Amino acid sequence: MSDGITDGAEDVLGVLTERIEARFGMDIGQLKAAVAASPAANPDATDVVKWHGLLAQAQSVLDRAEDDLLAALETQPSEADDPTMDLARRVNAAVTTRDGRAMVVRWLLDPDAPGKKDLAAERLARLRPRSGPAVPTSAPVPAGTPAPASVRQMGRSVR
């Protein structure tokens, strides 16, 4: 859209698409094809492709909402009527959605983003085999059996 309301700002989708292509060393079409062929091969690429698609969808909704608002404003006298104000709210909601999705894509592309280090450590931990149970376990005590002395003493210290 060349006369759009948000054209004063950078083309968010275009800028992020360029960053994705630079990060993965291929154009977005090739990246989408690679992810479709093998989604588990690179979880980062799979996430970026998913969110890029959601961003593109949100940008399309925003473009349509802006077009509708501009058309309505061209036919308005000096003040906007309620239907035109509803269109303006639709544009605001579309901008919010688009910007939120753009933030997710930016976060996915930034290896030093807050939470990424913890996320990487968590992924590594899931890949490593465990040597034993995560929580110590013991056999259940049949009903009516007195609890061991250590448990009875613990109960007294809590009271």
Side-chain angles (χ1 to χ4, degrees), residues 12-23 26 52 109:
V12 173
L13 181 61
V15 168
L16 289 175
T17 300
E18 288 173 9
R19 286 183 59 195
I20 291 167
E21 291 172 347
R23 161 95 187 278
M26 59 180 76
H52 180 270
L109 291 172

Side-chain angles (χ1 to χ4, degrees), residues 138-148:
S138 59
V141 178
T145 306

